Amino acid sequence: MGGGRFYGPDFELLEERDPELARVLLDEVERVRGGVQLIASENLTSPAVLAALGSALSDKYAEGYPGNRYYGGCEVVDRAERLAVRRARELFGADHANVQPHSGSSANLAAYAALLQPGDRMLAMALQHGGHLTHGSRANFSGRWFDVVSYGVRRDTELIDYDEVRDLALRHQPKVIVCGATSYPRLIDFGVLRGIADEVGAWLLADAAHPMGLMAAGVIPSAVPYADVVTFTTHKTLRGPRGGAILCTDELAGRIDRAVFPFTQGGPMMHAVAAKAVAFGEAMRPEFAAYARQVIVNARALCDALAAEGMRPVTGGTDTHLALLDVRGLGVTGAEAESRCAAAGITLNRSAIPYDPEPPGVTSGVRVGTPCVTTQGFGPADLEKVGALIGRAVREPEKIAEVGDEVRTLPVIRQAYLRQY
Ligand code: DSN
């Protein structure tokens, strides 16, 4: 059946033992190969990362930390975790790293547990303005267990209103100020937020899940020199395995480690920890910096192309790997735009825009990101074409099949998934 390394070394065995599940894996690879992946929070990991994920380290229980585990036989996996921690500290210039969180949400849970008691107050960006569920949404533990005050973006510029953040911080005296977002296309001024946190005696927690790969590469300013705690995921722009991690100052190291284990997690997933080490190693290479630069160039090209198709870029553009587009000018909702693009083989997601009159399941916007397509080797000219195809898919639903054919024959598509990097 072919497919090589993307199915893993034991794929033929899986096909023999469980053809039904093997089919799912094949179909997913075909889905990715047959279209354009623009989900801003996704990427395509390297074969080396996949090899670590599909390894014997998946079997090992290792509650605790290297040199201090609650299980025997951890001397080998200890080496993987030490390597991951050392590389994370070096890559990001951090005092301390914890590489055990299972996800970004788990990392935020642990970070809050380290800094707050239930009922304590935190100030964070509203989900509707680009924040994250774990930044105090009532649908999430963070909004139920803490006293959350939210800040947002200005209606006119759609940029974070730092004056509002300062006013709210002075008025409400939060114990933690959370910054970072999931659909904010601009840089965040961590220096200003550090100043506000210092003024009110709050911890500054940066959730850098989305841009951490860009920070690792040094192509956008890092949160690490400013924040007391930085939480992040390893699978977005960083292009590693699905998972989370936390960086912090020496002062908070013990509190963060105890908050991850034993407070919020049990045994770490050592195969994922090993894969994080691989990804941190890959992110130290010059090729990764070139990749990260290209991600931003491509995001700008896509954003401009979509603007030319009549979608309005929220904030007027992007400085990062993602863009948020108001699609109302094309007479559709975000949900309609998402489903029309999906029918044409272009995967993106609907997303609320600031002050969105539509409910979260509908929305007035879509979010696009370029981490995947840049890994696949797309350049700005390819993204201009993709932007034009998105415009046609959204505007002319009766011609979606035609657009889908054009998407599938984009020259860059079929070879792209097998590209070495
Ligand atoms: N679900 C992620 C995103 O798409 O931004 C955040 O957790």
Side-chain angles (χ1 to χ4, degrees), residues 6 37 125-126 160 196 213 216 223 226 230 264 348 352 368 416 420:
F6 280 99
Q37 312 307 320
M125 191 160 174
I160 291 174
I196 296 170
Y226 300 99
V230 178
T264 59
L348 46 74
V368 293
Q420 285 285 355

Side-chain angles (χ1 to χ4, degrees), residues 191-408:
V192 167
L193 292 164
R194 172 77 265 166
I196 296 170
D198 287 343
E199 211 175 336
V200 299
W203 301 108
L204 181 63
L205 190 167
D207 177 345
H210 265 264
M212 204 54 170
L214 308 180
M215 292 179 183
V219 297
I220 65 168
S222 170
V224 175
Y226 300 99
D228 301 289
V229 177
V230 178
T231 59
F232 62 103
T233 55
T234 47
H235 51 274
K236 297 188 174 90
T237 50
L238 198 47
R239 206 164 63 179
R242 290 198 79 92
I246 305 177
L247 306 174
C248 66
T249 55
D250 274 333
E251 179 192 0
L252 290 171
R255 281 163 77 164
I256 288 290
D257 283 354
R258 287 189 297 278
V260 173
F261 172 84
F263 196 73
T264 59
Q265 288 191 176
M269 299 181 189
M270 295 313 297
H271 58 310
V273 166
K276 288 171 193 175
V278 175
F280 296 146
E282 289 178 348
M284 288 171 180
R285 298 194 192 132
E287 307 90 90
F288 188 81
Y291 160 75
R293 265 192 296 278
Q294 192 63 46
V295 165
I296 297 176
V297 169
N298 282 348
R300 288 192 179 139
L302 179 58
C303 186
D304 290 349
L306 293 173
E309 293 298 318
M311 299 185 180
R312 184 185 69 82
V314 169
T315 77
T318 179
D319 300 323
T320 66
H321 61 299
L322 68 83
L324 184 61
L325 289 308
D326 176 349
V327 295
R328 289 175 296 186
L330 296 184
V332 293
T333 64
E336 284 164 341
E338 177 192 293
S339 67
R340 288 178 194 182
C341 289
I346 298 171
T347 308
L348 46 74
N349 67 285
R350 63 184 175 280
S351 190
I353 59 171
Y355 304 96
D356 202 324
E358 299 288 350
V362 179
T363 80
S364 302
V366 294
R367 186 185 69 164
V368 293
T370 51
C372 283
V373 288
T374 306
T375 293
Q376 292 177 304
F378 283 50
D382 301 308
L383 286 152
E384 276 169 35
K385 283 187 204 143
V386 169
L389 289 166
I390 290 175
R392 280 174 51 203
V394 174
R395 271 196 318 270
E396 305 173 56
E398 67 288 353
K399 293 195 185 150
I400 276 179
E402 249 172 61
V403 177
D405 288 342
E406 285 188 46
V407 168
R408 276 180 291 279

Side-chain angles (χ1 to χ4, degrees), residues 39 41 132 182 210 236 367:
I39 302 285
S41 46
H132 185 248
T182 63
H210 265 264
K236 297 188 174 90
R367 186 185 69 164

